[in-house]
Amino acid sequence: MSPRFLTLTDVTEVLNISMSQARVLVRSGELEAIQIGGRGMWRIEAAKLEEYIARCYEQNRGRTAHTDG
């Protein structure tokens, strides 16, 4: 069974981005996350990451539809 929550490190690996890019996505609200514990460690629900990826695909479809043709 896959874990329900991912760390920022997990997100950087899945999306192949830097830690600073992952932090920007979370802090901007573009990628929904919660802070857990006294140190405020970010956790991203796996389903929210999948939703984010799906939104990116939709945005790209919209861009390519306007430029193809």
Side-chain angles (χ1 to χ4, degrees), residues 52-66:
Y52 169 76
I53 292 168
R55 281 194 315 273
C56 288
Y57 274 112
E58 280 299 313
Q59 290 170 354
N60 285 338
R61 265 189 224 112
R63 286 185 201 136
T64 58
H66 297 326

Side-chain angles (χ1 to χ4, degrees), residues 8-25:
L8 280 180
T9 300
D10 296 330
V11 170
T12 64
E13 291 173 8
V14 170
L15 297 178
N16 195 27
I17 60 174
S18 70
M19 182 61 76
S20 62
Q21 289 171 310
R23 284 190 185 107
V24 167
L25 288 175

Side-chain angles (χ1 to χ4, degrees), residues 13-51:
E13 291 173 8
V14 170
L15 297 178
N16 195 27
I17 60 174
S18 70
M19 182 61 76
S20 62
Q21 289 171 310
R23 284 190 185 107
V24 167
L25 288 175
V26 166
R27 289 187 180 137
S28 71
E30 198 170 341
L31 177 59
E32 273 188 79
I34 56 174
Q35 284 188 296
I36 303 288
R39 296 176 121 185
M41 302 299 292
W42 289 105
R43 294 294 181 264
I44 299 87
E45 199 167 355
K48 296 295 181 185
L49 179 58
E50 292 302 321
E51 289 171 14

